[in-house]
Coordinates of all heavy atoms in Angstrom, one line a residue:
M1 N 8.4 -2.4 18.8 CA 7.5 -3.7 18.9 C 7.7 -4.4 17.7 O 7.7 -3.9 16.6 CB 6.1 -3.2 19.2 CG 5.1 -4.5 19.3 SD 3.4 -4.0 19.6 CE 3.3 -4.8 21.1
N2 N 7.7 -5.8 17.8 CA 7.8 -6.7 16.7 C 6.5 -6.5 15.9 O 5.4 -6.6 16.3 CB 7.9 -8.1 17.2 CG 8.2 -9.0 16.2 OD1 7.8 -8.9 15.0 ND2 9.0 -10.1 16.4
V3 N 6.7 -6.4 14.5 CA 5.5 -6.1 13.6 C 4.7 -7.4 13.6 O 3.4 -7.3 13.4 CB 6.0 -5.8 12.2 CG1 6.7 -7.0 11.6 CG2 4.9 -5.3 11.4
H4 N 5.2 -8.6 13.8 CA 4.4 -9.8 13.8 C 3.5 -9.8 15.0 O 2.4 -10.4 15.0 CB 5.3 -11.0 13.8 CG 6.1 -11.2 12.6 ND1 5.5 -11.7 11.4 CD2 7.3 -10.9 12.3 CE1 6.4 -11.7 10.4 NE2 7.6 -11.2 10.9
L5 N 3.9 -9.1 16.1 CA 2.9 -9.1 17.2 C 1.9 -8.1 17.0 O 0.7 -8.2 17.7 CB 3.7 -8.7 18.5 CG 4.8 -9.6 18.9 CD1 5.6 -9.1 20.1 CD2 4.2 -11.0 19.3
K6 N 2.0 -7.2 16.2 CA 0.9 -6.2 15.8 C -0.1 -6.8 15.0 O -1.3 -6.3 15.0 CB 1.5 -4.9 15.1 CG 2.4 -4.1 16.1 CD 2.9 -3.0 15.3 CE 3.8 -2.1 16.0 NZ 4.3 -0.9 15.3
V7 N 0.2 -7.8 14.1 CA -0.8 -8.3 13.2 C -1.5 -9.4 13.9 O -1.0 -10.4 14.4 CB -0.1 -8.9 12.0 CG1 -1.2 -9.6 11.1 CG2 0.6 -7.8 11.2
Q8 N -2.8 -9.2 14.1 CA -3.7 -10.1 14.8 C -4.6 -10.9 13.8 O -4.8 -10.4 12.6 CB -4.5 -9.3 15.8 CG -3.7 -8.6 16.8 CD -3.0 -9.5 17.8 OE1 -3.5 -10.4 18.3 NE2 -1.7 -9.2 18.0
P9 N -5.1 -12.0 14.2 CA -6.1 -12.7 13.2 C -7.2 -11.9 12.6 O -7.4 -12.1 11.5 CB -6.6 -13.9 14.2 CG -5.6 -14.0 15.2 CD -5.0 -12.7 15.5
H10 N -7.7 -11.0 13.3 CA -8.8 -10.1 12.8 C -8.3 -9.2 11.7 O -9.0 -8.9 10.8 CB -9.6 -9.3 13.8 CG -8.8 -8.2 14.5 ND1 -8.0 -8.5 15.6 CD2 -8.6 -6.9 14.2 CE1 -7.4 -7.3 15.9 NE2 -7.7 -6.4 15.1
H11 N -7.0 -8.9 11.7 CA -6.4 -8.1 10.5 C -6.2 -9.0 9.3 O -6.6 -8.6 8.2 CB -4.9 -7.7 10.9 CG -4.9 -6.7 12.1 ND1 -4.3 -6.9 13.2 CD2 -5.4 -5.4 12.2 CE1 -4.4 -5.8 14.0 NE2 -5.1 -4.9 13.4
L12 N -5.9 -10.2 9.6 CA -5.8 -11.2 8.4 C -7.0 -11.6 7.8 O -7.1 -12.1 6.6 CB -5.0 -12.4 8.9 CG -3.5 -12.2 9.4 CD1 -3.0 -13.4 10.0 CD2 -2.7 -11.6 8.3
E13 N -8.2 -11.3 8.4 CA -9.4 -11.5 7.8 C -9.8 -10.5 6.7 O -10.7 -10.7 6.0 CB -10.6 -11.7 8.9 CG -10.4 -12.8 9.8 CD -11.3 -12.7 11.0 OE1 -12.1 -11.7 11.1 OE2 -11.3 -13.6 11.8
R14 N -9.1 -9.4 6.8 CA -9.4 -8.3 5.8 C -8.2 -8.2 4.8 O -7.3 -8.9 4.8 CB -9.4 -6.9 6.6 CG -10.4 -6.9 7.7 CD -10.3 -5.6 8.6 NE -11.1 -5.8 9.8 CZ -10.8 -5.0 10.8 NH1 -9.8 -4.2 10.9 NH2 -11.4 -5.3 11.9
G15 N -8.4 -7.2 3.9 CA -7.4 -7.1 2.8 C -6.1 -6.5 3.2 O -6.1 -5.7 4.2
A16 N -5.1 -6.7 2.5 CA -3.8 -6.0 2.7 C -3.7 -5.0 1.5 O -3.7 -5.5 0.4 CB -2.7 -7.0 2.7
Y17 N -3.7 -3.8 1.7 CA -3.7 -2.8 0.7 C -2.3 -2.2 0.5 O -1.6 -1.9 1.4 CB -4.6 -1.6 1.1 CG -6.1 -1.9 0.9 CD1 -6.8 -2.8 1.8 CD2 -6.8 -1.4 -0.2 CE1 -8.1 -3.1 1.7 CE2 -8.1 -1.7 -0.3 CZ -8.7 -2.6 0.5 OH -10.1 -3.0 0.4
L18 N -1.8 -2.3 -0.8 CA -0.6 -1.7 -1.2 C -0.8 -0.4 -2.0 O -1.4 -0.6 -3.1 CB 0.3 -2.7 -2.0 CG 0.5 -4.1 -1.5 CD1 1.4 -4.8 -2.4 CD2 1.2 -4.0 -0.1
Y19 N -0.5 0.7 -1.5 CA -0.6 1.9 -2.2 C 0.7 2.3 -2.8 O 1.7 2.7 -2.0 CB -1.2 3.0 -1.2 CG -1.5 4.3 -1.9 CD1 -2.5 4.4 -2.9 CD2 -0.8 5.5 -1.6 CE1 -2.8 5.6 -3.6 CE2 -1.1 6.7 -2.3 CZ -2.1 6.7 -3.2 OH -2.4 7.9 -3.8
I20 N 0.7 2.2 -4.1 CA 2.0 2.5 -4.9 C 1.9 3.9 -5.5 O 0.9 4.2 -6.2 CB 2.1 1.5 -6.0 CG1 1.9 0.0 -5.4 CG2 3.6 1.6 -6.7 CD1 3.0 -0.4 -4.4
R21 N 2.9 4.7 -5.2 CA 2.8 6.1 -5.7 C 4.1 6.8 -5.8 O 5.0 6.6 -4.9 CB 1.8 7.0 -4.8 CG 1.4 8.3 -5.5 CD 0.4 8.9 -4.7 NE 1.1 9.7 -3.6 CZ 1.6 10.9 -3.8 NH1 1.6 11.4 -5.1 NH2 2.1 11.5 -2.9
Q22 N 4.3 7.6 -6.9 CA 5.3 8.5 -7.0 C 4.7 9.9 -7.3 O 3.7 10.0 -8.0 CB 6.3 8.1 -8.2 CG 6.8 6.8 -8.1 CD 8.2 6.7 -7.6 OE1 8.8 7.7 -7.2 NE2 8.8 5.5 -7.5
S23 N 5.2 11.0 -6.8 CA 4.6 12.2 -6.8 C 4.5 12.9 -8.1 O 3.8 13.8 -8.4 CB 5.2 13.2 -5.8 OG 5.0 12.7 -4.5
S24 N 5.5 12.6 -9.0 CA 5.6 13.2 -10.3 C 6.0 12.2 -11.4 O 6.5 11.2 -11.1 CB 6.7 14.4 -10.3 OG 8.0 13.8 -10.2
M25 N 5.6 12.7 -12.6 CA 6.0 11.7 -13.7 C 7.5 11.5 -13.8 O 8.1 10.5 -14.2 CB 5.4 12.2 -15.1 CG 3.9 12.0 -15.2 SD 3.4 10.2 -14.8 CE 4.1 9.4 -16.2
R26 N 8.3 12.6 -13.5 CA 9.7 12.5 -13.5 C 10.1 11.4 -12.5 O 11.0 10.6 -12.9 CB 10.3 13.8 -13.1 CG 11.9 13.8 -13.2 CD 12.4 15.2 -12.9 NE 13.9 15.1 -12.9 CZ 14.6 16.1 -13.1 NH1 14.2 17.3 -13.3 NH2 16.0 16.0 -13.1
Q27 N 9.6 11.4 -11.3 CA 9.9 10.4 -10.4 C 9.6 8.9 -10.9 O 10.3 7.9 -10.6 CB 9.2 10.6 -9.0 CG 9.9 11.7 -8.3 CD 9.1 11.9 -6.9 OE1 7.9 11.5 -6.8 NE2 9.8 12.5 -6.0
V28 N 8.4 8.9 -11.5 CA 8.0 7.5 -12.1 C 9.1 7.0 -13.1 O 9.4 5.9 -13.1 CB 6.7 7.7 -12.7 CG1 6.3 6.4 -13.6 CG2 5.5 8.0 -11.8
I29 N 9.5 7.9 -14.0 CA 10.6 7.5 -15.0 C 12.0 7.4 -14.3 O 12.5 6.4 -14.7 CB 10.6 8.6 -16.0 CG1 9.3 8.8 -16.8 CG2 11.8 8.5 -17.0 CD1 9.1 10.0 -17.7
E30 N 12.3 8.2 -13.3 CA 13.7 8.1 -12.9 C 14.0 7.2 -11.6 O 15.0 6.8 -11.4 CB 14.3 9.5 -12.5 CG 14.3 10.4 -13.8 CD 14.8 11.8 -13.6 OE1 15.0 12.1 -12.3 OE2 15.0 12.6 -14.5
N31 N 12.9 7.1 -10.9 CA 13.0 6.3 -9.7 C 12.4 4.8 -9.8 O 11.6 4.5 -8.9 CB 12.3 7.0 -8.5 CG 13.1 8.3 -8.2 OD1 14.2 8.6 -8.6 ND2 12.3 9.2 -7.6
V32 N 12.8 4.2 -10.8 CA 12.3 2.8 -11.1 C 12.5 1.8 -9.9 O 11.7 1.0 -9.4 CB 12.9 2.3 -12.3 CG1 12.4 0.8 -12.6 CG2 12.6 3.1 -13.5
E33 N 13.7 2.0 -9.2 CA 14.0 1.1 -8.1 C 13.0 1.4 -6.9 O 12.6 0.4 -6.2 CB 15.4 1.5 -7.6 CG 15.9 0.4 -6.7 CD 16.0 -1.0 -7.3 OE1 16.3 -1.1 -8.5 OE2 15.8 -2.0 -6.5
S34 N 12.6 2.6 -6.7 CA 11.6 2.9 -5.6 C 10.3 2.2 -6.0 O 9.7 1.5 -5.0 CB 11.4 4.3 -5.5 OG 10.3 4.6 -4.7
A35 N 9.9 2.2 -7.2 CA 8.6 1.5 -7.5 C 8.7 0.1 -7.3 O 7.9 -0.6 -6.9 CB 8.3 1.8 -9.0
K36 N 9.9 -0.6 -7.7 CA 10.1 -1.9 -7.5 C 10.1 -2.3 -6.0 O 9.5 -3.4 -5.6 CB 11.5 -2.5 -8.1 CG 11.5 -2.5 -9.5 CD 13.0 -2.9 -10.0 CE 13.2 -2.9 -11.4 NZ 14.5 -3.2 -11.9
R37 N 10.7 -1.4 -5.1 CA 10.5 -1.7 -3.7 C 9.1 -1.7 -3.2 O 8.7 -2.5 -2.3 CB 11.5 -0.7 -3.0 CG 13.0 -1.0 -3.1 CD 13.8 -0.3 -2.0 NE 13.5 1.1 -2.0 CZ 14.2 2.1 -2.7 NH1 15.0 1.6 -3.6 NH2 13.8 3.3 -2.7
Q38 N 8.4 -0.7 -3.7 CA 7.0 -0.5 -3.3 C 6.2 -1.8 -3.7 O 5.4 -2.4 -2.9 CB 6.4 0.7 -3.9 CG 6.9 1.9 -3.2 CD 6.3 3.2 -3.9 OE1 5.1 3.3 -3.8 NE2 7.1 4.1 -4.4
Y39 N 6.3 -2.3 -5.0 CA 5.6 -3.4 -5.4 C 6.1 -4.7 -4.6 O 5.3 -5.6 -4.3 CB 5.9 -3.7 -7.0 CG 4.9 -2.8 -7.8 CD1 5.5 -1.7 -8.4 CD2 3.6 -3.1 -7.9 CE1 4.7 -0.9 -9.2 CE2 2.8 -2.2 -8.6 CZ 3.3 -1.2 -9.4 OH 2.5 -0.4 -10.1
A40 N 7.4 -4.7 -4.2 CA 7.8 -5.8 -3.4 C 7.2 -6.0 -2.0 O 7.3 -7.0 -1.3 CB 9.4 -5.7 -3.3
L41 N 6.5 -4.9 -1.6 CA 5.7 -5.0 -0.3 C 4.7 -6.1 -0.4 O 4.3 -6.7 0.7 CB 5.1 -3.7 0.0 CG 6.0 -2.6 0.3 CD1 5.3 -1.2 0.4 CD2 6.6 -2.8 1.7
R42 N 4.3 -6.6 -1.5 CA 3.4 -7.8 -1.7 C 4.0 -8.9 -0.8 O 3.4 -9.6 -0.2 CB 3.2 -8.1 -3.1 CG 2.5 -9.4 -3.3 CD 2.3 -9.7 -4.8 NE 1.4 -8.8 -5.4 CZ 0.0 -9.0 -5.5 NH1 -0.4 -10.0 -4.9 NH2 -0.7 -8.1 -6.2
G43 N 5.4 -9.1 -1.1 CA 6.0 -10.2 -0.4 C 6.0 -10.1 1.1 O 5.8 -11.0 1.8
R44 N 6.1 -8.9 1.6 CA 6.1 -8.6 3.0 C 4.7 -8.9 3.6 O 4.6 -9.4 4.6 CB 6.5 -7.1 3.1 CG 6.6 -6.8 4.7 CD 7.1 -5.5 4.9 NE 7.1 -5.1 6.4 CZ 8.0 -5.0 7.1 NH1 9.3 -5.2 6.6 NH2 7.9 -4.7 8.4
A45 N 3.7 -8.5 2.8 CA 2.3 -8.8 3.3 C 2.1 -10.3 3.3 O 1.5 -10.8 4.4 CB 1.3 -8.1 2.3
V46 N 2.6 -11.1 2.4 CA 2.5 -12.5 2.4 C 3.2 -13.1 3.6 O 2.7 -13.9 4.3 CB 2.9 -13.1 1.1 CG1 3.1 -14.6 1.2 CG2 2.1 -12.8 0.0
A47 N 4.4 -12.5 3.9 CA 5.2 -13.0 5.0 C 4.5 -12.7 6.4 O 4.7 -13.4 7.3 CB 6.6 -12.3 5.0
L48 N 3.7 -11.7 6.3 CA 3.0 -11.4 7.6 C 1.7 -12.2 7.7 O 1.0 -12.1 8.8 CB 2.6 -9.9 7.6 CG 3.8 -8.9 7.9 CD1 3.4 -7.5 7.6 CD2 4.4 -9.1 9.2
G49 N 1.3 -12.9 6.7 CA 0.2 -13.8 6.8 C -0.9 -13.6 5.9 O -1.9 -14.4 5.9
W50 N -0.9 -12.6 5.1 CA -1.9 -12.4 4.0 C -1.8 -13.4 2.9 O -0.7 -13.6 2.4 CB -2.1 -11.0 3.6 CG -2.8 -10.2 4.4 CD1 -4.1 -9.8 4.4 CD2 -2.4 -9.4 5.6 NE1 -4.5 -8.9 5.4 CE2 -3.5 -8.8 6.2 CE3 -1.0 -9.3 6.2 CZ2 -3.3 -7.9 7.3 CZ3 -1.0 -8.5 7.3 CH2 -2.0 -7.9 7.9
R51 N -2.9 -13.9 2.3 CA -2.9 -14.7 1.1 C -2.8 -13.7 0.0 O -3.3 -12.7 0.0 CB -4.1 -15.6 1.0 CG -4.2 -16.7 2.1 CD -5.5 -17.5 2.0 NE -6.7 -16.8 1.6 CZ -7.5 -16.2 2.5 NH1 -7.2 -16.2 3.8 NH2 -8.7 -15.6 2.1
D52 N -2.2 -14.3 -1.2 CA -2.0 -13.4 -2.3 C -3.2 -12.8 -2.8 O -3.3 -11.7 -3.2 CB -1.3 -14.3 -3.3 CG -0.6 -13.4 -4.4 OD1 0.2 -12.5 -4.1 OD2 -0.9 -13.6 -5.6
E53 N -4.3 -13.6 -2.8 CA -5.7 -13.1 -3.3 C -6.2 -12.1 -2.4 O -7.2 -11.4 -2.8 CB -6.5 -14.3 -3.6 CG -7.0 -15.1 -2.3 CD -6.2 -16.2 -2.0 OE1 -5.0 -16.3 -2.6 OE2 -6.5 -17.0 -1.1
Q54 N -5.7 -11.9 -1.2 CA -6.2 -10.8 -0.4 C -5.5 -9.4 -0.5 O -5.9 -8.5 0.1 CB -6.0 -11.2 1.1 CG -6.8 -12.3 1.6 CD -6.4 -12.6 3.1 OE1 -5.5 -13.3 3.4 NE2 -7.3 -12.1 4.0
I55 N -4.5 -9.5 -1.4 CA -3.6 -8.2 -1.5 C -4.3 -7.5 -2.7 O -4.4 -7.8 -3.7 CB -2.1 -8.6 -1.7 CG1 -1.7 -9.5 -0.5 CG2 -1.3 -7.4 -2.1 CD1 -0.3 -10.1 -0.8
I56 N -4.5 -6.1 -2.3 CA -5.1 -5.3 -3.2 C -4.1 -4.2 -3.5 O -3.6 -3.5 -2.7 CB -6.4 -4.5 -2.7 CG1 -7.5 -5.6 -2.4 CG2 -6.9 -3.5 -3.6 CD1 -7.6 -6.1 -1.0
V57 N -3.6 -4.1 -4.8 CA -2.6 -3.1 -5.3 C -3.4 -1.9 -5.8 O -4.1 -2.0 -6.9 CB -1.7 -3.8 -6.2 CG1 -0.6 -2.7 -6.7 CG2 -0.9 -5.0 -5.6
I58 N -3.1 -0.8 -5.3 CA -3.7 0.4 -5.9 C -2.5 1.3 -6.4 O -1.7 1.8 -5.6 CB -4.5 1.3 -4.8 CG1 -5.6 0.4 -4.3 CG2 -4.9 2.6 -5.3 CD1 -6.4 1.1 -3.2
D59 N -2.4 1.3 -7.8 CA -1.2 2.0 -8.3 C -1.6 3.0 -9.4 O -0.8 3.4 -10.2 CB -0.2 1.0 -8.8 CG -0.7 0.2 -9.9 OD1 -2.0 0.2 -10.3 OD2 0.0 -0.7 -10.4
N60 N -3.0 3.5 -9.3 CA -3.4 4.3 -10.5 C -3.1 5.9 -10.2 O -3.5 6.6 -11.0 CB -4.8 4.1 -10.9 CG -5.8 4.2 -9.6 OD1 -5.4 3.7 -8.5 ND2 -6.9 4.7 -9.8
D61 N -2.4 6.1 -9.1 CA -2.1 7.6 -8.8 C -0.6 7.9 -9.1 O -0.1 8.8 -8.7 CB -2.3 7.9 -7.3 CG -3.8 7.9 -7.0 OD1 -4.6 7.9 -7.9 OD2 -4.1 7.8 -5.7
Q62 N 0.0 7.1 -9.9 CA 1.5 7.3 -10.3 C 1.6 8.7 -11.0 O 0.8 9.0 -12.0 CB 1.9 6.2 -11.2 CG 2.1 4.8 -10.5 CD 3.2 4.7 -9.6 OE1 3.6 5.6 -9.0 NE2 3.8 3.6 -9.6
G63 N 2.5 9.4 -10.5 CA 2.8 10.8 -11.2 C 1.9 11.8 -10.7 O 1.9 12.9 -11.3
E64 N 1.0 11.6 -9.8 CA 0.1 12.6 -9.2 C 0.6 13.3 -8.0 O 1.0 12.5 -7.0 CB -1.3 11.9 -9.0 CG -2.0 11.4 -10.2 CD -2.5 12.4 -11.2 OE1 -2.6 13.6 -10.7 OE2 -2.8 12.1 -12.3
S65 N 0.6 14.6 -7.8 CA 1.0 15.3 -6.7 C 0.2 14.9 -5.4 O -1.0 14.7 -5.7 CB 1.0 16.8 -7.0 OG 1.2 17.5 -5.8
G66 N 0.8 15.0 -4.4 CA 0.0 14.8 -3.1 C -0.6 16.0 -2.6 O -1.2 15.9 -1.4
A67 N -0.4 17.1 -3.3 CA -1.0 18.4 -2.8 C -2.6 18.4 -2.6 O -3.0 19.1 -1.8 CB -0.6 19.5 -3.7
S68 N -3.3 17.5 -3.3 CA -4.7 17.4 -3.2 C -5.1 16.0 -3.5 O -4.4 15.3 -4.3 CB -5.4 18.4 -4.1 OG -6.8 18.1 -4.1
A69 N -6.1 15.5 -2.9 CA -6.6 14.1 -3.1 C -7.8 14.2 -4.2 O -8.3 13.1 -4.5 CB -7.0 13.5 -1.8
A70 N -8.2 15.4 -4.6 CA -9.4 15.4 -5.4 C -9.2 14.7 -6.6 O -10.3 14.2 -7.1 CB -9.6 17.0 -5.7
W71 N -8.1 14.5 -7.2 CA -8.1 13.9 -8.5 C -7.3 12.5 -8.4 O -7.0 11.9 -9.4 CB -7.4 14.7 -9.6 CG -6.0 15.2 -9.2 CD1 -4.8 14.5 -9.3 CD2 -5.7 16.5 -8.5 NE1 -3.8 15.2 -8.8 CE2 -4.3 16.4 -8.3 CE3 -6.4 17.6 -8.2 CZ2 -3.6 17.5 -7.8 CZ3 -5.8 18.7 -7.6 CH2 -4.4 18.6 -7.4
R72 N -7.0 12.2 -7.2 CA -6.3 10.9 -7.0 C -7.4 9.8 -6.7 O -7.6 9.5 -5.5 CB -5.3 11.0 -5.9 CG -4.2 11.9 -6.3 CD -3.1 11.9 -5.3 NE -3.5 12.0 -4.0 CZ -2.8 11.9 -2.8 NH1 -1.5 11.7 -2.9 NH2 -3.3 12.1 -1.7
E73 N -7.8 9.1 -7.7 CA -8.8 8.1 -7.6 C -8.4 7.0 -6.6 O -9.1 6.4 -5.9 CB -9.3 7.5 -8.9 CG -10.0 8.5 -9.7 CD -10.4 8.0 -11.0 OE1 -10.3 6.7 -11.2 OE2 -10.6 8.7 -12.0
G74 N -7.1 6.6 -6.7 CA -6.6 5.5 -5.9 C -6.6 5.8 -4.5 O -7.0 4.9 -3.7
F75 N -6.2 7.0 -4.1 CA -6.2 7.4 -2.7 C -7.6 7.6 -2.2 O -7.9 7.1 -1.1 CB -5.6 8.8 -2.6 CG -5.4 9.2 -1.1 CD1 -4.4 8.6 -0.2 CD2 -6.2 10.2 -0.5 CE1 -4.4 8.9 1.1 CE2 -6.1 10.6 0.7 CZ -5.2 10.0 1.5
Q76 N -8.6 8.0 -3.0 CA -9.9 8.0 -2.6 C -10.5 6.7 -2.3 O -11.2 6.4 -1.3 CB -10.8 8.7 -3.7 CG -10.5 10.2 -3.7 CD -11.2 10.9 -4.9 OE1 -12.1 10.3 -5.5 NE2 -10.9 12.2 -5.2
R77 N -10.2 5.7 -3.1 CA -10.6 4.3 -3.0 C -10.0 3.7 -1.6 O -10.6 3.1 -0.9 CB -10.2 3.4 -4.2 CG -10.5 2.0 -3.9 CD -10.0 1.0 -4.9 NE -10.4 -0.3 -4.4 CZ -9.8 -1.4 -4.9 NH1 -8.9 -1.3 -5.9 NH2 -10.1 -2.6 -4.5
L78 N -8.7 4.0 -1.5 CA -8.0 3.6 -0.2 C -8.7 4.1 1.1 O -9.0 3.3 1.9 CB -6.6 4.0 -0.3 CG -5.7 3.6 1.0 CD1 -5.6 2.1 1.1 CD2 -4.3 4.2 0.9
V79 N -8.9 5.3 1.1 CA -9.5 6.0 2.2 C -10.9 5.4 2.5 O -11.3 5.0 3.6 CB -9.6 7.5 2.1 CG1 -10.4 8.2 3.1 CG2 -8.2 8.1 2.1
S80 N -11.7 5.2 1.4 CA -13.1 4.6 1.5 C -13.0 3.3 2.0 O -13.7 2.9 2.9 CB -13.6 4.6 0.1 OG -14.9 4.0 0.1
D81 N -12.1 2.4 1.4 CA -12.0 1.0 1.9 C -11.5 1.0 3.4 O -12.1 0.1 4.1 CB -11.1 0.2 1.0 CG -11.8 -0.1 -0.3 OD1 -12.9 0.3 -0.7 OD2 -11.2 -0.8 -1.1
V82 N -10.6 1.8 3.8 CA -10.2 1.7 5.2 C -11.3 2.1 6.1 O -11.6 1.6 7.1 CB -8.9 2.7 5.3 CG1 -8.6 3.0 6.8 CG2 -7.7 2.1 4.7
G83 N -12.0 3.2 5.6 CA -13.2 3.7 6.5 C -14.3 2.7 6.6 O -15.0 2.6 7.6
M84 N -14.4 1.8 5.5 CA -15.4 0.7 5.7 C -15.0 -0.5 6.4 O -15.7 -1.4 6.5 CB -16.0 0.4 4.2 CG -16.7 1.6 3.6 SD -17.6 1.2 2.0 CE -16.2 0.5 1.0
G85 N -13.8 -0.5 6.9 CA -13.2 -1.6 7.6 C -12.7 -2.7 6.8 O -12.6 -3.8 7.3
H86 N -12.5 -2.4 5.5 CA -12.0 -3.6 4.6 C -10.5 -3.9 4.7 O -10.0 -4.9 4.2 CB -12.3 -3.3 3.2 CG -13.8 -3.2 2.9 ND1 -14.7 -4.2 3.1 CD2 -14.5 -2.1 2.3 CE1 -15.8 -3.8 2.7 NE2 -15.8 -2.5 2.3
A87 N -9.7 -2.9 5.3 CA -8.2 -3.1 5.3 C -7.7 -3.6 6.6 O -8.0 -3.1 7.7 CB -7.7 -1.7 5.1
G88 N -6.9 -4.7 6.5 CA -6.2 -5.1 7.8 C -4.9 -4.4 7.9 O -4.3 -4.4 9.0
I89 N -4.4 -4.1 6.8 CA -3.1 -3.3 6.8 C -3.0 -2.5 5.5 O -3.5 -2.8 4.5 CB -1.8 -4.3 6.8 CG1 -0.6 -3.6 7.1 CG2 -1.7 -5.2 5.5 CD1 0.6 -4.6 7.5
V90 N -2.3 -1.4 5.6 CA -2.0 -0.5 4.5 C -0.5 -0.4 4.4 O 0.1 0.1 5.4 CB -2.7 0.9 4.6 CG1 -2.4 1.8 3.4 CG2 -4.2 0.7 4.7
M91 N 0.0 -0.6 3.2 CA 1.5 -0.4 3.0 C 1.7 0.5 1.8 O 0.9 0.4 0.9 CB 2.1 -1.8 2.8 CG 1.7 -2.8 3.9 SD 2.4 -4.5 3.5 CE 3.9 -4.5 4.4
G92 N 2.7 1.3 2.0 CA 3.0 2.1 0.8 C 4.3 2.7 1.0 O 5.2 2.0 1.7
P93 N 4.7 3.7 0.3 CA 6.1 4.3 0.4 C 6.7 4.4 1.7 O 7.8 4.1 2.0 CB 6.1 5.6 -0.4 CG 4.9 5.5 -1.3 CD 3.9 4.6 -0.5
G94 N 5.9 4.8 2.7 CA 6.4 5.0 4.0 C 6.5 3.7 4.8 O 7.1 3.6 5.9
S95 N 6.2 2.5 4.2 CA 6.2 1.2 4.8 C 7.5 0.6 4.5 O 7.6 -0.7 4.8 CB 5.1 0.3 4.4 OG 3.9 1.0 4.6
L96 N 8.4 1.2 3.8 CA 9.6 0.6 3.4 C 10.6 0.3 4.5 O 11.6 -0.4 4.4 CB 10.3 1.3 2.2 CG 9.4 1.5 0.9 CD1 10.1 2.3 0.0 CD2 9.2 0.0 0.3
S97 N 10.3 0.9 5.7 CA 11.2 0.7 6.9 C 10.5 -0.6 7.6 O 9.7 -1.2 7.0 CB 11.1 1.9 7.8 OG 9.8 2.2 8.3
S98 N 10.8 -0.8 8.8 CA 10.4 -1.8 9.6 C 9.0 -1.6 10.2 O 8.6 -2.4 11.0 CB 11.4 -2.3 10.7 OG 11.6 -1.2 11.5
R99 N 8.3 -0.6 9.9 CA 7.0 -0.3 10.4 C 6.0 -1.1 9.8 O 6.1 -1.6 8.7 CB 6.6 1.2 10.2 CG 7.5 2.1 11.1 CD 7.2 3.5 10.8 NE 7.4 3.8 9.5 CZ 6.9 4.9 8.8 NH1 6.0 5.6 9.5 NH2 7.1 5.1 7.6
A100 N 4.8 -1.2 10.5 CA 3.7 -1.9 9.8 C 2.4 -1.1 10.1 O 2.3 -0.3 11.0 CB 3.5 -3.3 10.4

């Protein structure tokens, strides 16, 4: 299905969340291109209809393992905001394909 058809006006009334993360400090240091692609998702959100000021970048979990969310403040914020209905879209490392 076309991603543009999935984005409805009620989604655009909420924030676009970009969750930027690498699992280890080694990945943060060595996979700079991956981080650039993740930050570039901002442009994709704009292309889908979000205004720049609606885009929330959460990147404070860089270098943190995904084994537990207990110490990942960014992930906790993301889950909380999604649960409260603040997110119209969430984009992250898995969003680098054509999914939305």
Side-chain angles (χ1 to χ4, degrees):
M1 176 180 243
N2 186 330
V3 70
H4 294 283
L5 297 176
K6 292 181 181 181
V7 176
Q8 300 294 313
H10 67 275
H11 295 119
L12 296 172
E13 294 170 1
R14 303 176 193 154
Y17 284 73
L18 306 184
Y19 184 62
I20 312 299
R21 195 174 83 78
Q22 305 261 1
S23 295
S24 70
M25 285 311 295
R26 182 177 178 159
Q27 287 181 335
V28 171
I29 294 166
E30 295 179 0
N31 297 337
V32 177
E33 194 60 37
S34 174
K36 287 180 186 178
R37 284 194 310 271
Q38 290 180 55
Y39 282 107
L41 289 170
R42 173 183 287 277
R44 183 171 175 111
V46 169
L48 289 170
W50 275 270
R51 295 182 316 277
D52 197 56
E53 63 271 11
Q54 289 179 281
I55 300 170
I56 296 98
V57 177
I58 300 174
D59 61 0
N60 53 321
D61 289 344
Q62 294 282 41
E64 297 288 343
S65 170
S68 172
W71 56 83
R72 294 186 315 172
E73 291 178 21
F75 184 74
Q76 291 174 10
R77 176 184 176 197
L78 178 65
V79 170
S80 174
D81 285 3
V82 168
M84 291 188 307
H86 297 303
I89 193 169
V90 175
M91 304 172 100
S95 301
L96 299 176
S97 66
S98 61
R99 295 179 295 161

